């Protein structure tokens, strides 16, 4: 354990996120199974929890089986490894040593309003600036009710649970450090602080933080609740300096608070809140091990069968922020401009269906299917399908595809970080080219090694794809090695340690 970890270890660490490290389900034969929660956040946090001594993790019970697990433990926290061993045998128990899980059940209606009306789409769409504003959003009674009876209710429920955990730590003589994650819990810190004034609270926002005016989409009571909730923290953290600065500017312009842009702090209620940037990353070793598994090997062989002269790849959730439709339109344009590429290039799209109970996401998935059908109809031949669309969740297949791509496309409209770019450059064995949107957090680190994409410029994306496909061997090697080296030198441990070092310093101050 390093110095920074030791400094917070006396108090115990409490992680809070909506999606937890595992999700339980029950098969038809009655057997319980556990799957890892989806998304980049859970990947990073699992790795973080694994590196710290006795962390507690507070998350939502999202399935009926999660609720059954909660009931078995009378709503209290439990040792995750022990539980998995007991129910799934040793196979299931290789997760995070010593991690105590506290799953929180919430009323179904409140959760639906919290998740499907406020967090996604409202907050996600504000922060990724995704609307056609003449048409959307409409903030009707439904959204106001969902904020009050969904988002606020779930935040209050989680705040109570977190406060109980903090008080347990205090009763044992420690001072807890709470690390809250993402846009589901903007109101939480202020509520916890009311009950536990001495706690150290840190909130990591994994998605972009836009400029102050973007928040004017929300009426003052909502946007002020978001900002004041977050200002209950000691540290509000983001992936980039730009997002941290936008947050401070929002405090200044929307709340009229005193901010210090050089020190990156804001003064509120006699306290100082710091805004910081820590770019999240991956665990290259763990990923490298996975890449050597038999399952990945099998997928890899199948993908070699698919690859002709070139394989273009994208791996994303089916999220409007990922800009998947424009990416396919750029590919369409590439094939029109370069008929010599016909039958020689395949665009493999590994897309995990996401948030399909939110209307905007279901519509977007349909739009993806339509554009793929159009492009394949226009350019496909009897034995060549230009776009190979696979709508499924299959991590082993994605890892295999990372090994063999020639060009990886990440053309997101905007993205907090984008861990796909980092995973892919570390694993790829073909000196593949990263084509990366300038508006992703990852671009601040990997932009120099990438072919830049401008997310709204379909014509430019087509040209950039051509440049990437035809780049000379030396340049490809230099760029791909440089990118892989950067990610290895700035891995998820570095992300964690930078935060813990700051927490240790601020707690001591
Ligand atoms: C992004 C968000 C996470 C979220 C994940 C998956 O990575 O930052 O907070 O968990 O997407 O989304 P979901 O709605 O399925 O949890």
């Amino acid at each position: 354990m390093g110095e920074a970890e030791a400094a917070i270890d006396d108090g115990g660490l409490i992680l809070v996120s909506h999606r937890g490290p595992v999700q339980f389900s029950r098969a038809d034969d009655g057997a319980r199974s556990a799957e890892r929660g989806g998304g980049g956040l859970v990947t990073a946090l699992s790795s973080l929890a694994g590196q710290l001594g006795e962390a507690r993790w507070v998350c939502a019970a999202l399935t009926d089986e999660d609720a059954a697990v909660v009931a078995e433990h009378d709503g209290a926290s439990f040792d995750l490894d022990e539980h998995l061993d007991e129910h799934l045998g040793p196979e299931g128990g290789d997760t995070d040593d010593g991690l105590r899980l506290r799953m929180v059940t919430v009323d179904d209606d409140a959760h639906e309003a919290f998740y499907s009306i406020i967090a996604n789409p409202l907050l996600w769409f504000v922060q990724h600036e995704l609307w056609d504003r003449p048409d959307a959003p409409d903030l009707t009674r439904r959204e106001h009710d969902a904020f009050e009876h969904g988002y606020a209710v779930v935040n209050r429920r989680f705040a109570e649970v977190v406060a109980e955990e903090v008080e347990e730590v205090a009763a044992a003589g420690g001072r807890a450090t709470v690390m809250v994650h993402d846009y589901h819990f903007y109101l939480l810190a202020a509520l916890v602080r009311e009950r536990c004034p001495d706690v150290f609270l840190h909130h990591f926002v994994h998605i972009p933080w836009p400029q102050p005016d973007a928040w004017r989409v929300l009426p003052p009571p909502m946007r002020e609740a978001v900002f004041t909730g977050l200002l209950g923290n000691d540290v509000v953290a983001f992936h980039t300096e730009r997002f941290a600065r936008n947050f401070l500017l929002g405090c200044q312009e929307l709340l009229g608070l005193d901010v210090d842009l050089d020190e990156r702090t804001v003064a509120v209620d006699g306290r100082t809140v710091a805004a910081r940037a820590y770019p999240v990353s991956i665990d290259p070793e763990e990923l490298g091990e996975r890449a050597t598994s038999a399952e990945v090997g099998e997928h890899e062989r199948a993908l070699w069968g698919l690859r002709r002269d070139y394989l273009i790849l994208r791996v994303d959730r089916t999220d409007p922020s990922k800009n998947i439709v424009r990416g396919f339109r750029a590919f369409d344009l590439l094939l029109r401009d370069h008929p010599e590429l016909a039958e020689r290039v395949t665009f493999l799209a590994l897309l995990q269906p996401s948030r399909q109970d939110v209307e905007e996401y279901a519509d977007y998935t349909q739009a993806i299917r339509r554009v793929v059908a159009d492009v394949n109809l226009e350019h496909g031949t009897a034995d060549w399908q230009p776009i190979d669309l696979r709508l499924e969740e299959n991590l082993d297949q994605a890892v295999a595809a990372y090994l063999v791509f020639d060009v990886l496309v990440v053309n997101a409209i905007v993205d907090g970080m984008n861990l796909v770019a980092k995973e892919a450059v570390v694993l790829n064995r073909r000196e593949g080219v990263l084509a990366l949107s300038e508006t992703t957090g990852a671009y601040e680190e990997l932009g120099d090694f990438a072919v830049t994409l401008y997310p709204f410029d379909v014509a430019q994306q087509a040209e950039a794809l051509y440049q990437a496909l035809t780049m000379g061997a030396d340049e490809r090697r230099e760029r791909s090695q440089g990118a892989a080296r950067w990610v290895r030198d700035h891995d998820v441990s570095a992300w964690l340690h930078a935060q813990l070092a700051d927490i240790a310093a601020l707690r001591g101050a």
Side-chain angles (χ1 to χ4, degrees):
M1 191 177 290
E3 240 175 78
E5 285 91 327
I8 63 161
D9 193 52
D10 70 306
L13 181 70
I14 301 169
L15 299 175
V16 187
S17 68
H18 175 245
R19 208 171 269 282
V22 291
Q23 195 160 297
F24 295 100
S25 54
R26 189 172 282 271
D28 292 341
D29 66 0
R32 175 171 292 166
S33 64
E35 266 176 47
R36 205 176 80 162
L41 179 150
V42 163
T43 313
L45 281 197
S46 299
S47 165
L48 182 155
Q51 292 185 37
L52 289 165
E54 300 205 341
R56 296 155 192 246
W57 190 331
V58 179
C59 64
L62 292 172
T63 63
D64 290 346
E65 199 58 15
D66 287 351
V69 172
V70 174
E72 278 164 34
H73 295 96
D74 296 327
S77 69
F78 58 91
D79 185 300
L80 179 59
D81 251 1
E82 267 175 36
H83 182 86
L84 294 175
D85 271 352
E86 197 180 309
H87 289 271
L88 307 173
E91 284 289 286
D94 63 344
T95 49
D96 314 295
D97 290 338
L99 180 67
R100 294 194 68 76
L101 197 59
R102 174 95 190 251
M103 286 183 146
V104 183
T105 46
V106 231
D107 168 77
D108 280 351
D109 290 342
H111 186 265
E112 154 87 15
F114 155 88
Y115 184 81
S116 298
I117 304 179
I118 301 300
N120 317 299
L122 195 60
L123 293 172
W124 182 276
F125 274 52
V126 170
Q127 295 191 238
H128 291 83
E129 299 184 74
L130 290 179
W131 283 292
D132 276 338
R133 292 225 238 173
D135 294 320
D138 281 340
L139 277 99
T140 63
R141 278 266 151 263
R142 177 175 174 263
E143 282 68 25
H144 284 277
D145 286 351
F147 196 81
E148 198 183 323
H149 303 298
Y151 194 75
V153 166
V154 174
N155 270 260
R156 270 203 299 277
R157 170 87 186 103
F158 268 72
E160 272 165 27
V161 169
V162 170
E164 281 169 22
E165 297 289 325
V166 170
E167 282 163 0
E168 218 175 87
V169 170
R175 180 182 169 208
T177 298
V178 182
M179 292 176 100
V180 189
H181 287 265
D182 239 347
Y183 54 100
H184 309 90
F185 298 119
Y186 288 151
L187 313 186
L188 187 138
L191 296 166
V192 175
R193 184 161 307 280
E194 260 173 36
R195 189 162 142 185
C196 314
D198 293 335
V199 66
F200 193 93
L201 283 152
H202 178 285
H203 190 123
F204 203 106
V205 179
H206 288 258
I207 66 175
W209 197 274
Q211 296 158 43
D213 279 347
W215 288 98
R216 293 188 194 275
V217 166
L218 300 183
M222 279 190 204
R223 66 186 189 231
E224 283 165 16
V226 165
F227 276 84
T228 20
L230 276 173
L231 287 169
N233 287 284
D234 295 285
V235 179
V236 186
F238 305 87
H239 290 311
T240 71
E241 294 290 349
R242 193 156 46 91
F243 300 152
R245 186 181 155 83
N246 285 344
F247 174 72
L248 292 171
L249 292 174
C251 293
Q252 188 174 49
E253 287 185 25
L254 302 172
L255 266 57
L257 294 172
D258 273 344
V259 307
D260 184 329
L261 290 175
D262 295 327
E263 291 295 321
R264 295 172 301 157
T265 54
V266 46
V268 59
D269 297 339
R271 294 184 304 112
T272 301
V273 180
R276 292 279 183 273
Y278 311 97
V280 74
S281 192
I282 60 161
D283 182 339
E285 257 174 56
E286 194 191 309
L287 194 64
E289 267 170 39
R290 187 170 194 127
T292 61
S293 74
E295 290 81 1
V296 169
E298 233 170 79
H299 284 295
E300 190 187 349
R301 276 187 292 284
L303 292 179
W304 276 114
L306 176 76
R307 182 177 178 277
R308 297 187 166 215
D309 289 349
Y310 307 105
L311 188 70
I312 300 178
L313 172 69
R314 77 175 305 143
V315 179
D316 281 305
R317 287 182 302 104
T318 52
D319 192 305
S321 68
K322 303 294 181 184
N323 211 16
I324 298 165
V325 171
R326 279 200 195 83
F328 288 144
R329 287 178 44 219
F331 182 59
D332 175 35
L333 197 55
L334 171 78
L335 295 176
R336 285 173 200 273
D337 288 348
H338 296 280
E340 75 278 11
L341 288 174
E343 306 213 322
R344 294 177 55 209
V345 54
T346 298
F347 193 152
L348 175 64
L350 304 181
L351 305 181
Q352 305 95 56
S354 182
R355 306 174 188 163
Q356 294 301 297
D357 41 358
V358 179
E359 195 187 336
E360 286 83 347
Y361 283 76
D363 291 350
Y364 194 66
T365 308
Q366 288 313 319
I368 292 170
R369 287 184 196 275
R370 276 197 302 274
V371 68
V372 170
D374 289 348
V375 174
N376 283 346
L377 189 66
E378 176 71 28
H379 301 281
T381 61
D383 71 340
W384 172 62
Q385 201 173 243
I387 302 176
D388 187 332
L389 172 66
R390 302 188 188 180
L391 282 164
E392 60 183 315
E393 173 113 39
N394 187 336
L395 186 57
D396 285 331
Q397 179 174 249
V399 168
Y402 288 155
L403 300 171
V404 303
F405 71 83
D406 298 283
V407 174
L408 178 84
V409 176
V410 179
N411 68 327
I413 287 175
V414 55
D415 211 335
M417 171 50 71
N418 196 285
L419 288 180
V420 166
K422 291 190 173 180
E423 291 174 344
V425 298
V426 158
L427 284 191
N428 185 259
R429 294 191 186 135
R430 302 190 41 76
E431 288 160 3
V433 179
L434 170 64
L436 184 61
S437 167
E438 66 161 349
T439 46
T440 57
Y443 192 83
E444 287 200 358
E445 295 171 87
L446 300 179
D448 285 350
F449 310 111
V451 168
T452 304
L453 300 179
Y454 301 104
F456 301 99
D457 191 339
V458 177
Q460 185 273 340
Q461 288 175 53
E463 282 157 26
L465 283 181
Y466 187 72
Q467 183 200 346
L469 286 173
T470 55
M471 187 180 284
D474 288 347
E475 190 177 349
R476 277 203 341 248
R477 184 170 322 113
E478 213 173 287
R479 287 181 186 231
S480 68
Q481 287 179 355
R485 203 175 313 120
W486 175 276
V487 178
R488 284 185 198 289
D489 291 347
H490 300 83
D491 64 2
V492 71
S493 300
W495 176 68
L496 170 63
H497 288 292
Q499 290 173 81
L500 295 182
D502 278 0
I503 290 174
L506 288 165
R507 274 186 47 148

